[in-house]
Amino acid sequence: MNDVKLSKRLALVLRHRPDSIGIDLDANGWVPIHTLLAALDEHGISCTRADLRRVVANNDKKRYEVDETTDRIRARQGHSVEVDLALEPTVPPPVLFHGTAHRNVSSILATGLNKGGRHHVHLSPDRDTAARVGARRGAYVLFGVDSAAMTSTGQTFWRTENGVWLTDRVDPRYLNLDAPEQRPVPHRQSQP
Ligand code: HQG
């Protein structure tokens, strides 16, 4: 399996469907590397320790984290299965960004940003990153998020180790649609 496919499979297993290869994640999302490799092998996916290390190290968004002491691996964020990432609430920069498909705009302006299938709403620290997130699904728009105002009302934010800002919900009053001319040209981004 090439590295891109392997990385996508890891995302599936470590965030959404550990059962697809018959493994469990612990409460914090970790699985022993030897357990993962054995389960992948049993399901016909060839992956050596070296392959795994390469995919983790080269991953464009540092999606995976290895704990050297306990020899375990987990996804840093993006889970749909129940996990506690044990992140500390953190004060965000005053403005964050969210890129989304153009077709979502009217719904978002009406009801705000909702977490959908994920555990949190994901926000980006800069326009470039938000543009890449939005452009995954074609024509996109950028929202500025008034995180300073949200923080002042006591809303909690967390920052993942790979720099994604998380919160539970963004009410429409804290969203500003970015003017189209301010949109950066996105760079295609693919795993790993
Ligand atoms: C949209 C990728 C209509 C929201 C990326 C988004 C990111 C609404 C979609 C990370 C809505 C959910 C997260 C509403 C939210 N009406 N649409 N009220 N509220 N939405 O993929 O933020 O590759 O679950 O705008 O790079 O796009 O997984 O979230 O378009 O960092 O590592 O609902 O996923 O990283 O889509 O992306 P997603 P996202 P990874």
Side-chain angles (χ1 to χ4, degrees):
M1 190 176 276
N2 71 35
D3 284 4
V4 173
K5 281 193 172 164
L6 186 55
S7 182
K8 288 189 172 171
R9 187 63 194 240
L10 284 179
L12 178 75
V13 166
L14 297 176
R15 289 171 165 179
H16 309 297
R17 297 287 315 277
D19 56 297
S20 70
I21 58 165
I23 60 169
D24 290 318
L25 309 180
D26 79 3
N28 306 114
W30 296 104
V31 62
I33 288 178
H34 66 86
T35 305
L36 174 68
L37 294 179
L40 288 171
D41 186 54
E42 275 168 30
H43 287 76
I45 300 158
S46 143
C47 175
T48 63
R49 239 168 212 279
D51 295 335
L52 192 66
R53 293 230 164 256
R54 197 176 57 249
V55 166
V56 170
N58 295 345
N59 190 262
D60 56 357
K61 292 167 75 181
K62 302 196 187 327
R63 288 181 179 87
Y64 314 111
E65 176 178 12
V66 168
D67 181 341
E68 302 290 350
T69 315
T70 56
D71 199 35
R72 298 177 303 170
I73 185 169
R74 73 172 176 183
R76 288 191 202 270
Q77 41 91 9
H79 301 79
S80 58
V81 293
E82 198 53 53
V83 294
D84 176 4
L85 295 174
L87 300 173
E88 290 293 327
T90 304
V91 176
V95 178
L96 291 168
F97 298 91
H98 183 83
T100 189
H102 192 268
R103 63 179 173 278
N104 295 335
V105 169
S106 55
S107 164
I108 289 173
L109 286 172
T111 64
L113 288 172
N114 300 313
K115 47 192 169 184
R118 302 204 188 228
H119 290 306
H120 300 98
V121 171
H122 288 224
L123 302 172
S124 305
D126 56 76
R127 284 192 172 86
D128 266 349
T129 309
R132 282 196 291 271
V133 173
R136 290 178 303 156
R137 299 180 178 114
Y140 70 98
V141 294
L142 294 186
F143 284 100
V145 176
D146 188 351
S147 32
M150 292 168 68
T151 306
S152 73
T153 69
Q155 190 162 338
T156 303
F157 289 79
W158 300 266
R159 184 185 176 280
T160 68
E161 286 188 45
N162 56 339
V164 177
W165 285 92
L166 307 175
T167 195
D168 286 328
R169 180 171 178 271
V170 181
D171 190 273
R173 83 186 77 163
Y174 303 121
L175 291 169
N176 304 294
L177 204 47
D178 246 33
E181 60 274 15
Q182 293 177 313
R183 265 183 246 153
V185 177
H187 311 287
R188 277 296 297 168
Q189 177 166 304
S190 60
Q191 293 206 353

